[in-house]
PDB file of all heavy atoms in Angstrom:
ATOM      1  N   VAL G 202      26.401 -10.386 -18.398  1.00 92.00           N
ATOM      2  CA  VAL G 202      25.314 -10.056 -19.322  1.00 92.00           C
ATOM      3  C   VAL G 202      23.981 -10.060 -18.590  1.00 92.00           C
ATOM      4  O   VAL G 202      23.138  -9.172 -18.780  1.00 92.00           O
ATOM      5  CB  VAL G 202      25.297 -11.048 -20.505  1.00 92.00           C
ATOM      6  CG1 VAL G 202      24.039 -10.908 -21.327  1.00 92.00           C
ATOM      7  CG2 VAL G 202      26.517 -10.834 -21.376  1.00 92.00           C
ATOM      8  N   ILE G 203      23.776 -11.040 -17.713  1.00 91.00           N
ATOM      9  CA  ILE G 203      22.525 -11.128 -16.960  1.00 91.00           C
ATOM     10  C   ILE G 203      22.350  -9.908 -16.059  1.00 91.00           C
ATOM     11  O   ILE G 203      21.267  -9.316 -15.999  1.00 91.00           O
ATOM     12  CB  ILE G 203      22.490 -12.434 -16.135  1.00 91.00           C
ATOM     13  CG1 ILE G 203      22.345 -13.632 -17.069  1.00 91.00           C
ATOM     14  CG2 ILE G 203      21.362 -12.411 -15.118  1.00 91.00           C
ATOM     15  CD1 ILE G 203      22.547 -14.966 -16.391  1.00 91.00           C
ATOM     16  N   THR G 204      23.418  -9.508 -15.380  1.00 90.00           N
ATOM     17  CA  THR G 204      23.294  -8.334 -14.499  1.00 90.00           C
ATOM     18  C   THR G 204      23.035  -7.064 -15.296  1.00 90.00           C
ATOM     19  O   THR G 204      22.301  -6.189 -14.838  1.00 90.00           O
ATOM     20  CB  THR G 204      24.551  -8.145 -13.640  1.00 90.00           C
ATOM     21  OG1 THR G 204      25.695  -8.042 -14.488  1.00 90.00           O
ATOM     22  CG2 THR G 204      24.721  -9.286 -12.670  1.00 90.00           C
ATOM     23  N   GLN G 205      23.623  -6.963 -16.483  1.00 87.00           N
ATOM     24  CA  GLN G 205      23.347  -5.794 -17.310  1.00 87.00           C
ATOM     25  C   GLN G 205      21.896  -5.781 -17.763  1.00 87.00           C
ATOM     26  O   GLN G 205      21.264  -4.724 -17.815  1.00 87.00           O
ATOM     27  CB  GLN G 205      24.277  -5.772 -18.526  1.00 87.00           C
ATOM     28  CG  GLN G 205      25.696  -5.438 -18.156  1.00 87.00           C
ATOM     29  CD  GLN G 205      26.652  -5.579 -19.327  1.00 87.00           C
ATOM     30  OE1 GLN G 205      26.288  -6.105 -20.368  1.00 87.00           O
ATOM     31  NE2 GLN G 205      27.878  -5.139 -19.150  1.00 87.00           N
ATOM     32  N   HIS G 206      21.340  -6.940 -18.052  1.00 84.00           N
ATOM     33  CA  HIS G 206      19.926  -7.003 -18.437  1.00 84.00           C
ATOM     34  C   HIS G 206      19.028  -6.633 -17.275  1.00 84.00           C
ATOM     35  O   HIS G 206      17.996  -5.990 -17.462  1.00 84.00           O
ATOM     36  CB  HIS G 206      19.580  -8.407 -18.925  1.00 84.00           C
ATOM     37  CG  HIS G 206      20.087  -8.690 -20.297  1.00 84.00           C
ATOM     38  ND1 HIS G 206      19.749  -9.813 -20.981  1.00 84.00           N
ATOM     39  CD2 HIS G 206      20.913  -8.003 -21.117  1.00 84.00           C
ATOM     40  CE1 HIS G 206      20.332  -9.812 -22.159  1.00 84.00           C
ATOM     41  NE2 HIS G 206      21.058  -8.715 -22.257  1.00 84.00           N
ATOM     42  N   ARG G 207      19.402  -7.037 -16.063  1.00 80.00           N
ATOM     43  CA  ARG G 207      18.574  -6.739 -14.902  1.00 80.00           C
ATOM     44  C   ARG G 207      18.589  -5.260 -14.570  1.00 80.00           C
ATOM     45  O   ARG G 207      17.659  -4.742 -13.966  1.00 80.00           O
ATOM     46  CB  ARG G 207      19.043  -7.549 -13.698  1.00 80.00           C
ATOM     47  CG  ARG G 207      18.792  -9.038 -13.892  1.00 80.00           C
ATOM     48  CD  ARG G 207      18.918  -9.771 -12.655  1.00 80.00           C
ATOM     49  NE  ARG G 207      17.782  -9.462 -11.802  1.00 80.00           N
ATOM     50  CZ  ARG G 207      17.583  -9.985 -10.632  1.00 80.00           C
ATOM     51  NH1 ARG G 207      18.428 -10.846 -10.159  1.00 80.00           N
ATOM     52  NH2 ARG G 207      16.533  -9.669  -9.906  1.00 80.00           N
ATOM     53  N   MET G 208      19.656  -4.562 -14.956  1.00 78.00           N
ATOM     54  CA  MET G 208      19.755  -3.134 -14.647  1.00 78.00           C
ATOM     55  C   MET G 208      19.021  -2.284 -15.673  1.00 78.00           C
ATOM     56  O   MET G 208      18.781  -1.106 -15.431  1.00 78.00           O
ATOM     57  CB  MET G 208      21.226  -2.707 -14.576  1.00 78.00           C
ATOM     58  CG  MET G 208      21.945  -3.299 -13.388  1.00 78.00           C
ATOM     59  SD  MET G 208      23.641  -2.766 -13.094  1.00 78.00           S
ATOM     60  CE  MET G 208      24.263  -2.208 -14.622  1.00 78.00           C
ATOM     61  N   GLU G 209      18.647  -2.871 -16.812  1.00 76.00           N
ATOM     62  CA  GLU G 209      17.951  -2.098 -17.831  1.00 76.00           C
ATOM     63  C   GLU G 209      16.529  -1.782 -17.370  1.00 76.00           C
ATOM     64  O   GLU G 209      15.868  -2.597 -16.756  1.00 76.00           O
ATOM     65  CB  GLU G 209      17.890  -2.881 -19.145  1.00 76.00           C
ATOM     66  CG  GLU G 209      19.221  -3.001 -19.830  1.00 76.00           C
ATOM     67  CD  GLU G 209      19.137  -3.796 -21.121  1.00 76.00           C
ATOM     68  OE1 GLU G 209      18.018  -4.127 -21.553  1.00 76.00           O
ATOM     69  OE2 GLU G 209      20.191  -4.100 -21.674  1.00 76.00           O
ATOM     70  N   SER G 210      16.084  -0.589 -17.673  1.00 75.00           N
ATOM     71  CA  SER G 210      14.743  -0.174 -17.307  1.00 75.00           C
ATOM     72  C   SER G 210      13.888  -0.106 -18.562  1.00 75.00           C
ATOM     73  O   SER G 210      14.256   0.533 -19.544  1.00 75.00           O
ATOM     74  CB  SER G 210      14.786   1.200 -16.634  1.00 75.00           C
ATOM     75  OG  SER G 210      13.478   1.630 -16.364  1.00 75.00           O
ATOM     76  N   TYR G 211      12.747  -0.754 -18.505  1.00 72.00           N
ATOM     77  CA  TYR G 211      11.858  -0.781 -19.659  1.00 72.00           C
ATOM     78  C   TYR G 211      10.656   0.144 -19.468  1.00 72.00           C
ATOM     79  O   TYR G 211       9.745   0.133 -20.282  1.00 72.00           O
ATOM     80  CB  TYR G 211      11.368  -2.207 -19.912  1.00 72.00           C
ATOM     81  CG  TYR G 211      12.490  -3.147 -20.266  1.00 72.00           C
ATOM     82  CD1 TYR G 211      12.948  -4.095 -19.366  1.00 72.00           C
ATOM     83  CD2 TYR G 211      13.093  -3.076 -21.506  1.00 72.00           C
ATOM     84  CE1 TYR G 211      13.984  -4.951 -19.699  1.00 72.00           C
ATOM     85  CE2 TYR G 211      14.129  -3.926 -21.850  1.00 72.00           C
ATOM     86  CZ  TYR G 211      14.568  -4.862 -20.949  1.00 72.00           C
ATOM     87  OH  TYR G 211      15.583  -5.693 -21.281  1.00 72.00           O
ATOM     88  N   LYS G 212      10.657   0.939 -18.411  1.00 72.00           N
ATOM     89  CA  LYS G 212       9.515   1.817 -18.140  1.00 72.00           C
ATOM     90  C   LYS G 212       9.303   2.841 -19.252  1.00 72.00           C
ATOM     91  O   LYS G 212       8.180   3.138 -19.625  1.00 72.00           O
ATOM     92  CB  LYS G 212       9.712   2.545 -16.811  1.00 72.00           C
ATOM     93  CG  LYS G 212       9.588   1.656 -15.619  1.00 72.00           C
ATOM     94  CD  LYS G 212       9.773   2.448 -14.344  1.00 72.00           C
ATOM     95  CE  LYS G 212       9.672   1.557 -13.134  1.00 72.00           C
ATOM     96  NZ  LYS G 212       9.910   2.301 -11.908  1.00 72.00           N
ATOM     97  N   ASP G 213      10.393   3.390 -19.755  1.00 74.00           N
ATOM     98  CA  ASP G 213      10.284   4.460 -20.753  1.00 74.00           C
ATOM     99  C   ASP G 213      10.312   3.934 -22.187  1.00 74.00           C
ATOM    100  O   ASP G 213      10.194   4.718 -23.121  1.00 74.00           O
ATOM    101  CB  ASP G 213      11.426   5.461 -20.560  1.00 74.00           C
ATOM    102  CG  ASP G 213      11.382   6.083 -19.177  1.00 74.00           C
ATOM    103  OD1 ASP G 213      10.266   6.218 -18.634  1.00 74.00           O
ATOM    104  OD2 ASP G 213      12.454   6.425 -18.645  1.00 74.00           O
ATOM    105  N   ASP G 214      10.489   2.649 -22.361  1.00 77.00           N
ATOM    106  CA  ASP G 214      10.575   2.088 -23.709  1.00 77.00           C
ATOM    107  C   ASP G 214       9.182   2.000 -24.316  1.00 77.00           C
ATOM    108  O   ASP G 214       8.253   1.462 -23.718  1.00 77.00           O
ATOM    109  CB  ASP G 214      11.207   0.701 -23.654  1.00 77.00           C
ATOM    110  CG  ASP G 214      11.673   0.216 -25.011  1.00 77.00           C
ATOM    111  OD1 ASP G 214      11.314   0.855 -26.015  1.00 77.00           O
ATOM    112  OD2 ASP G 214      12.399  -0.788 -25.055  1.00 77.00           O
ATOM    113  N   GLU G 215       9.038   2.533 -25.516  1.00 78.00           N
ATOM    114  CA  GLU G 215       7.719   2.577 -26.157  1.00 78.00           C
ATOM    115  C   GLU G 215       7.251   1.214 -26.636  1.00 78.00           C
ATOM    116  O   GLU G 215       6.064   1.016 -26.887  1.00 78.00           O
ATOM    117  CB  GLU G 215       7.757   3.549 -27.328  1.00 78.00           C
ATOM    118  CG  GLU G 215       8.693   3.123 -28.444  1.00 78.00           C
ATOM    119  CD  GLU G 215       8.820   4.177 -29.531  1.00 78.00           C
ATOM    120  OE1 GLU G 215       8.899   5.370 -29.194  1.00 78.00           O
ATOM    121  OE2 GLU G 215       8.844   3.777 -30.701  1.00 78.00           O
ATOM    122  N   TRP G 216       8.166   0.262 -26.757  1.00 80.00           N
ATOM    123  CA  TRP G 216       7.794  -1.063 -27.266  1.00 80.00           C
ATOM    124  C   TRP G 216       7.277  -1.981 -26.162  1.00 80.00           C
ATOM    125  O   TRP G 216       6.799  -3.079 -26.438  1.00 80.00           O
ATOM    126  CB  TRP G 216       8.991  -1.712 -27.956  1.00 80.00           C
ATOM    127  CG  TRP G 216       9.381  -0.971 -29.191  1.00 80.00           C
ATOM    128  CD1 TRP G 216      10.426  -0.115 -29.344  1.00 80.00           C
ATOM    129  CD2 TRP G 216       8.712  -0.992 -30.449  1.00 80.00           C
ATOM    130  NE1 TRP G 216      10.476   0.389 -30.603  1.00 80.00           N
ATOM    131  CE2 TRP G 216       9.413  -0.138 -31.317  1.00 80.00           C
ATOM    132  CE3 TRP G 216       7.583  -1.643 -30.936  1.00 80.00           C
ATOM    133  CZ2 TRP G 216       9.030   0.070 -32.632  1.00 80.00           C
ATOM    134  CZ3 TRP G 216       7.217  -1.429 -32.250  1.00 80.00           C
ATOM    135  CH2 TRP G 216       7.939  -0.589 -33.079  1.00 80.00           C
ATOM    136  N   TYR G 217       7.398  -1.566 -24.917  1.00 77.00           N
ATOM    137  CA  TYR G 217       6.938  -2.379 -23.806  1.00 77.00           C
ATOM    138  C   TYR G 217       5.726  -1.726 -23.158  1.00 77.00           C
ATOM    139  O   TYR G 217       5.705  -0.525 -22.949  1.00 77.00           O
ATOM    140  CB  TYR G 217       8.050  -2.555 -22.767  1.00 77.00           C
ATOM    141  CG  TYR G 217       9.159  -3.439 -23.252  1.00 77.00           C
ATOM    142  CD1 TYR G 217      10.289  -2.894 -23.857  1.00 77.00           C
ATOM    143  CD2 TYR G 217       9.077  -4.813 -23.124  1.00 77.00           C
ATOM    144  CE1 TYR G 217      11.304  -3.701 -24.322  1.00 77.00           C
ATOM    145  CE2 TYR G 217      10.088  -5.627 -23.580  1.00 77.00           C
ATOM    146  CZ  TYR G 217      11.198  -5.069 -24.174  1.00 77.00           C
ATOM    147  OH  TYR G 217      12.200  -5.869 -24.634  1.00 77.00           O
ATOM    148  N   GLU G 218       4.764  -2.547 -22.846  1.00 77.00           N
ATOM    149  CA  GLU G 218       3.554  -2.065 -22.194  1.00 77.00           C
ATOM    150  C   GLU G 218       3.467  -2.720 -20.822  1.00 77.00           C
ATOM    151  O   GLU G 218       3.601  -3.934 -20.691  1.00 77.00           O
ATOM    152  CB  GLU G 218       2.327  -2.461 -23.033  1.00 77.00           C
ATOM    153  CG  GLU G 218       1.020  -2.024 -22.435  1.00 77.00           C
ATOM    154  CD  GLU G 218      -0.143  -2.440 -23.322  1.00 77.00           C
ATOM    155  OE1 GLU G 218      -0.050  -2.256 -24.541  1.00 77.00           O
ATOM    156  OE2 GLU G 218      -1.121  -2.966 -22.771  1.00 77.00           O
ATOM    157  N   GLN G 219       3.233  -1.913 -19.820  1.00 74.00           N
ATOM    158  CA  GLN G 219       3.187  -2.431 -18.470  1.00 74.00           C
ATOM    159  C   GLN G 219       1.870  -3.162 -18.256  1.00 74.00           C
ATOM    160  O   GLN G 219       0.787  -2.598 -18.432  1.00 74.00           O
ATOM    161  CB  GLN G 219       3.324  -1.284 -17.472  1.00 74.00           C
ATOM    162  CG  GLN G 219       3.447  -1.762 -16.057  1.00 74.00           C
ATOM    163  CD  GLN G 219       3.805  -0.609 -15.132  1.00 74.00           C
ATOM    164  OE1 GLN G 219       3.971   0.509 -15.568  1.00 74.00           O
ATOM    165  NE2 GLN G 219       3.917  -0.905 -13.863  1.00 74.00           N
ATOM    166  N   ALA G 220       1.970  -4.433 -17.896  1.00 77.00           N
ATOM    167  CA  ALA G 220       0.771  -5.251 -17.726  1.00 77.00           C
ATOM    168  C   ALA G 220       0.197  -5.084 -16.320  1.00 77.00           C
ATOM    169  O   ALA G 220      -1.010  -4.944 -16.152  1.00 77.00           O
ATOM    170  CB  ALA G 220       1.097  -6.713 -17.995  1.00 77.00           C
ATOM    171  N   THR G 221       1.044  -5.105 -15.309  1.00 81.00           N
ATOM    172  CA  THR G 221       0.575  -4.940 -13.938  1.00 81.00           C
ATOM    173  C   THR G 221       1.527  -4.020 -13.194  1.00 81.00           C
ATOM    174  O   THR G 221       2.718  -3.993 -13.450  1.00 81.00           O
ATOM    175  CB  THR G 221       0.532  -6.292 -13.185  1.00 81.00           C
ATOM    176  OG1 THR G 221       1.853  -6.849 -13.193  1.00 81.00           O
ATOM    177  CG2 THR G 221      -0.437  -7.251 -13.832  1.00 81.00           C
ATOM    178  N   ASP G 222       0.946  -3.275 -12.269  1.00 82.00           N
ATOM    179  CA  ASP G 222       1.733  -2.410 -11.403  1.00 82.00           C
ATOM    180  C   ASP G 222       1.396  -2.787  -9.970  1.00 82.00           C
ATOM    181  O   ASP G 222       0.353  -2.401  -9.437  1.00 82.00           O
ATOM    182  CB  ASP G 222       1.412  -0.947 -11.687  1.00 82.00           C
ATOM    183  CG  ASP G 222       2.301  -0.013 -10.890  1.00 82.00           C
ATOM    184  OD1 ASP G 222       3.277  -0.493 -10.278  1.00 82.00           O
ATOM    185  OD2 ASP G 222       2.021   1.197 -10.890  1.00 82.00           O
ATOM    186  N   VAL G 223       2.258  -3.561  -9.361  1.00 87.00           N
ATOM    187  CA  VAL G 223       1.999  -4.114  -8.037  1.00 87.00           C
ATOM    188  C   VAL G 223       1.890  -3.012  -6.992  1.00 87.00           C
ATOM    189  O   VAL G 223       1.044  -3.081  -6.093  1.00 87.00           O
ATOM    190  CB  VAL G 223       3.098  -5.129  -7.666  1.00 87.00           C
ATOM    191  CG1 VAL G 223       2.889  -5.681  -6.269  1.00 87.00           C
ATOM    192  CG2 VAL G 223       3.133  -6.265  -8.679  1.00 87.00           C
ATOM    193  N   ARG G 224       2.706  -1.983  -7.084  1.00 89.00           N
ATOM    194  CA  ARG G 224       2.663  -0.904  -6.095  1.00 89.00           C
ATOM    195  C   ARG G 224       1.303  -0.206  -6.087  1.00 89.00           C
ATOM    196  O   ARG G 224       0.725   0.041  -5.027  1.00 89.00           O
ATOM    197  CB  ARG G 224       3.759   0.113  -6.367  1.00 89.00           C
ATOM    198  CG  ARG G 224       5.128  -0.392  -6.024  1.00 89.00           C
ATOM    199  CD  ARG G 224       6.170   0.662  -6.216  1.00 89.00           C
ATOM    200  NE  ARG G 224       7.485   0.121  -5.924  1.00 89.00           N
ATOM    201  CZ  ARG G 224       8.601   0.655  -6.324  1.00 89.00           C
ATOM    202  NH1 ARG G 224       8.584   1.755  -7.036  1.00 89.00           N
ATOM    203  NH2 ARG G 224       9.748   0.107  -6.014  1.00 89.00           N
ATOM    204  N   SER G 225       0.807   0.118  -7.273  1.00 89.00           N
ATOM    205  CA  SER G 225      -0.496   0.794  -7.321  1.00 89.00           C
ATOM    206  C   SER G 225      -1.607  -0.142  -6.847  1.00 89.00           C
ATOM    207  O   SER G 225      -2.568   0.302  -6.212  1.00 89.00           O
ATOM    208  CB  SER G 225      -0.781   1.304  -8.731  1.00 89.00           C
ATOM    209  OG  SER G 225      -0.899   0.240  -9.638  1.00 89.00           O
ATOM    210  N   GLN G 226      -1.485  -1.434  -7.132  1.00 90.00           N
ATOM    211  CA  GLN G 226      -2.477  -2.384  -6.638  1.00 90.00           C
ATOM    212  C   GLN G 226      -2.462  -2.451  -5.111  1.00 90.00           C
ATOM    213  O   GLN G 226      -3.524  -2.471  -4.471  1.00 90.00           O
ATOM    214  CB  GLN G 226      -2.214  -3.781  -7.222  1.00 90.00           C
ATOM    215  CG  GLN G 226      -2.500  -3.879  -8.705  1.00 90.00           C
ATOM    216  CD  GLN G 226      -2.099  -5.216  -9.291  1.00 90.00           C
ATOM    217  OE1 GLN G 226      -1.490  -6.045  -8.607  1.00 90.00           O
ATOM    218  NE2 GLN G 226      -2.434  -5.420 -10.549  1.00 90.00           N
ATOM    219  N   LEU G 227      -1.267  -2.460  -4.522  1.00 93.00           N
ATOM    220  CA  LEU G 227      -1.165  -2.479  -3.060  1.00 93.00           C
ATOM    221  C   LEU G 227      -1.742  -1.207  -2.451  1.00 93.00           C
ATOM    222  O   LEU G 227      -2.452  -1.256  -1.434  1.00 93.00           O
ATOM    223  CB  LEU G 227       0.293  -2.662  -2.631  1.00 93.00           C
ATOM    224  CG  LEU G 227       0.881  -4.053  -2.822  1.00 93.00           C
ATOM    225  CD1 LEU G 227       2.365  -4.049  -2.487  1.00 93.00           C
ATOM    226  CD2 LEU G 227       0.159  -5.068  -1.959  1.00 93.00           C
ATOM    227  N   LYS G 228      -1.445  -0.055  -3.054  1.00 93.00           N
ATOM    228  CA  LYS G 228      -2.002   1.205  -2.550  1.00 93.00           C
ATOM    229  C   LYS G 228      -3.522   1.191  -2.630  1.00 93.00           C
ATOM    230  O   LYS G 228      -4.210   1.656  -1.719  1.00 93.00           O
ATOM    231  CB  LYS G 228      -1.442   2.391  -3.345  1.00 93.00           C
ATOM    232  CG  LYS G 228      -0.009   2.699  -3.044  1.00 93.00           C
ATOM    233  CD  LYS G 228       0.483   3.861  -3.872  1.00 93.00           C
ATOM    234  CE  LYS G 228       1.955   4.122  -3.630  1.00 93.00           C
ATOM    235  NZ  LYS G 228       2.462   5.206  -4.485  1.00 93.00           N
ATOM    236  N   PHE G 229      -4.060   0.643  -3.712  1.00 93.00           N
ATOM    237  CA  PHE G 229      -5.509   0.561  -3.866  1.00 93.00           C
ATOM    238  C   PHE G 229      -6.119  -0.300  -2.768  1.00 93.00           C
ATOM    239  O   PHE G 229      -7.123   0.072  -2.150  1.00 93.00           O
ATOM    240  CB  PHE G 229      -5.852  -0.005  -5.252  1.00 93.00           C
ATOM    241  CG  PHE G 229      -7.299  -0.226  -5.481  1.00 93.00           C
ATOM    242  CD1 PHE G 229      -8.161   0.844  -5.696  1.00 93.00           C
ATOM    243  CD2 PHE G 229      -7.827  -1.508  -5.467  1.00 93.00           C
ATOM    244  CE1 PHE G 229      -9.515   0.646  -5.897  1.00 93.00           C
ATOM    245  CE2 PHE G 229      -9.180  -1.720  -5.665  1.00 93.00           C
ATOM    246  CZ  PHE G 229     -10.023  -0.639  -5.885  1.00 93.00           C
ATOM    247  N   PHE G 230      -5.512  -1.455  -2.499  1.00 94.00           N
ATOM    248  CA  PHE G 230      -6.044  -2.329  -1.438  1.00 94.00           C
ATOM    249  C   PHE G 230      -5.908  -1.697  -0.064  1.00 94.00           C
ATOM    250  O   PHE G 230      -6.791  -1.860   0.799  1.00 94.00           O
ATOM    251  CB  PHE G 230      -5.354  -3.697  -1.463  1.00 94.00           C
ATOM    252  CG  PHE G 230      -5.778  -4.561  -2.618  1.00 94.00           C
ATOM    253  CD1 PHE G 230      -4.849  -5.110  -3.475  1.00 94.00           C
ATOM    254  CD2 PHE G 230      -7.123  -4.837  -2.848  1.00 94.00           C
ATOM    255  CE1 PHE G 230      -5.241  -5.904  -4.539  1.00 94.00           C
ATOM    256  CE2 PHE G 230      -7.527  -5.631  -3.902  1.00 94.00           C
ATOM    257  CZ  PHE G 230      -6.583  -6.167  -4.752  1.00 94.00           C
ATOM    258  N   GLU G 231      -4.833  -0.955   0.173  1.00 96.00           N
ATOM    259  CA  GLU G 231      -4.687  -0.251   1.450  1.00 96.00           C
ATOM    260  C   GLU G 231      -5.779   0.801   1.610  1.00 96.00           C
ATOM    261  O   GLU G 231      -6.348   0.968   2.693  1.00 96.00           O
ATOM    262  CB  GLU G 231      -3.299   0.393   1.542  1.00 96.00           C
ATOM    263  CG  GLU G 231      -2.185  -0.608   1.746  1.00 96.00           C
ATOM    264  CD  GLU G 231      -0.812   0.034   1.666  1.00 96.00           C
ATOM    265  OE1 GLU G 231      -0.722   1.257   1.390  1.00 96.00           O
ATOM    266  OE2 GLU G 231       0.171  -0.690   1.863  1.00 96.00           O
ATOM    267  N   GLN G 232      -6.083   1.530   0.544  1.00 96.00           N
ATOM    268  CA  GLN G 232      -7.158   2.521   0.600  1.00 96.00           C
ATOM    269  C   GLN G 232      -8.497   1.838   0.862  1.00 96.00           C
ATOM    270  O   GLN G 232      -9.321   2.340   1.641  1.00 96.00           O
ATOM    271  CB  GLN G 232      -7.225   3.317  -0.703  1.00 96.00           C
ATOM    272  CG  GLN G 232      -6.097   4.292  -0.876  1.00 96.00           C
ATOM    273  CD  GLN G 232      -6.149   4.984  -2.232  1.00 96.00           C
ATOM    274  OE1 GLN G 232      -6.955   4.628  -3.093  1.00 96.00           O
ATOM    275  NE2 GLN G 232      -5.279   5.967  -2.423  1.00 96.00           N
ATOM    276  N   LEU G 233      -8.739   0.694   0.211  1.00 96.00           N
ATOM    277  CA  LEU G 233      -9.982  -0.049   0.455  1.00 96.00           C
ATOM    278  C   LEU G 233     -10.091  -0.464   1.921  1.00 96.00           C
ATOM    279  O   LEU G 233     -11.169  -0.349   2.526  1.00 96.00           O
ATOM    280  CB  LEU G 233     -10.049  -1.297  -0.432  1.00 96.00           C
ATOM    281  CG  LEU G 233     -10.508  -1.102  -1.863  1.00 96.00           C
ATOM    282  CD1 LEU G 233     -10.474  -2.429  -2.596  1.00 96.00           C
ATOM    283  CD2 LEU G 233     -11.913  -0.533  -1.901  1.00 96.00           C
ATOM    284  N   GLU G 234      -8.983  -0.945   2.494  1.00 96.00           N
ATOM    285  CA  GLU G 234      -8.992  -1.348   3.901  1.00 96.00           C
ATOM    286  C   GLU G 234      -9.268  -0.162   4.808  1.00 96.00           C
ATOM    287  O   GLU G 234     -10.028  -0.277   5.784  1.00 96.00           O
ATOM    288  CB  GLU G 234      -7.652  -1.992   4.265  1.00 96.00           C
ATOM    289  CG  GLU G 234      -7.472  -3.379   3.698  1.00 96.00           C
ATOM    290  CD  GLU G 234      -6.108  -3.963   4.042  1.00 96.00           C
ATOM    291  OE1 GLU G 234      -5.312  -3.302   4.753  1.00 96.00           O
ATOM    292  OE2 GLU G 234      -5.839  -5.079   3.585  1.00 96.00           O
ATOM    293  N   ARG G 235      -8.648   0.992   4.513  1.00 96.00           N
ATOM    294  CA  ARG G 235      -8.901   2.184   5.320  1.00 96.00           C
ATOM    295  C   ARG G 235     -10.363   2.615   5.250  1.00 96.00           C
ATOM    296  O   ARG G 235     -10.992   2.938   6.265  1.00 96.00           O
ATOM    297  CB  ARG G 235      -8.000   3.339   4.854  1.00 96.00           C
ATOM    298  CG  ARG G 235      -6.667   3.356   5.564  1.00 96.00           C
ATOM    299  CD  ARG G 235      -5.893   4.634   5.282  1.00 96.00           C
ATOM    300  NE  ARG G 235      -4.801   4.270   4.380  1.00 96.00           N
ATOM    301  CZ  ARG G 235      -4.577   4.792   3.193  1.00 96.00           C
ATOM    302  NH1 ARG G 235      -5.345   5.747   2.735  1.00 96.00           N
ATOM    303  NH2 ARG G 235      -3.582   4.394   2.442  1.00 96.00           N
ATOM    304  N   LEU G 236     -10.932   2.618   4.039  1.00 96.00           N
ATOM    305  CA  LEU G 236     -12.342   2.991   3.889  1.00 96.00           C
ATOM    306  C   LEU G 236     -13.253   2.016   4.622  1.00 96.00           C
ATOM    307  O   LEU G 236     -14.236   2.417   5.278  1.00 96.00           O
ATOM    308  CB  LEU G 236     -12.718   3.052   2.405  1.00 96.00           C
ATOM    309  CG  LEU G 236     -12.115   4.204   1.604  1.00 96.00           C
ATOM    310  CD1 LEU G 236     -12.426   4.033   0.119  1.00 96.00           C
ATOM    311  CD2 LEU G 236     -12.648   5.523   2.117  1.00 96.00           C
ATOM    312  N   GLU G 237     -12.940   0.734   4.525  1.00 96.00           N
ATOM    313  CA  GLU G 237     -13.742  -0.289   5.211  1.00 96.00           C
ATOM    314  C   GLU G 237     -13.652  -0.103   6.722  1.00 96.00           C
ATOM    315  O   GLU G 237     -14.660  -0.201   7.445  1.00 96.00           O
ATOM    316  CB  GLU G 237     -13.244  -1.686   4.809  1.00 96.00           C
ATOM    317  CG  GLU G 237     -14.087  -2.819   5.319  1.00 96.00           C
ATOM    318  CD  GLU G 237     -15.425  -2.903   4.625  1.00 96.00           C
ATOM    319  OE1 GLU G 237     -15.550  -2.444   3.475  1.00 96.00           O
ATOM    320  OE2 GLU G 237     -16.360  -3.418   5.264  1.00 96.00           O
ATOM    321  N   LYS G 238     -12.450   0.212   7.219  1.00 96.00           N
ATOM    322  CA  LYS G 238     -12.274   0.427   8.653  1.00 96.00           C
ATOM    323  C   LYS G 238     -13.037   1.677   9.105  1.00 96.00           C
ATOM    324  O   LYS G 238     -13.697   1.670  10.160  1.00 96.00           O
ATOM    325  CB  LYS G 238     -10.786   0.574   8.972  1.00 96.00           C
ATOM    326  CG  LYS G 238     -10.500   0.676  10.455  1.00 96.00           C
ATOM    327  CD  LYS G 238      -9.026   0.739  10.716  1.00 96.00           C
ATOM    328  CE  LYS G 238      -8.783   0.878  12.199  1.00 96.00           C
ATOM    329  NZ  LYS G 238      -7.373   1.016  12.527  1.00 96.00           N
TER     330      LYS G 238
END
């Protein structure tokens, strides 16, 4: 049951709202570092 829950994707579910997106945050910080450099 736990593995089935871990395989479920909530990205397209309308009842869930994404609070943080780590990938986009990392890309943003990488861009900031490039601009600073």
Side-chain angles (χ1 to χ4, degrees):
V202 169
I203 290 170
T204 56
Q205 288 173 350
H206 284 188
R207 293 194 72 178
M208 291 185 336
E209 289 179 8
S210 176
Y211 297 107
K212 289 181 181 177
D213 300 329
D214 196 349
E215 64 186 41
W216 294 103
Y217 289 94
E218 179 180 315
Q219 187 171 359
T221 59
D222 185 10
V223 178
R224 287 184 182 161
S225 64
Q226 290 174 354
L227 287 174
K228 288 179 183 177
F229 176 74
F230 287 126
E231 288 173 357
Q232 288 176 352
L233 279 178
E234 287 178 2
R235 271 190 253 123
L236 290 173
E237 187 71 25
K238 185 177 178 183

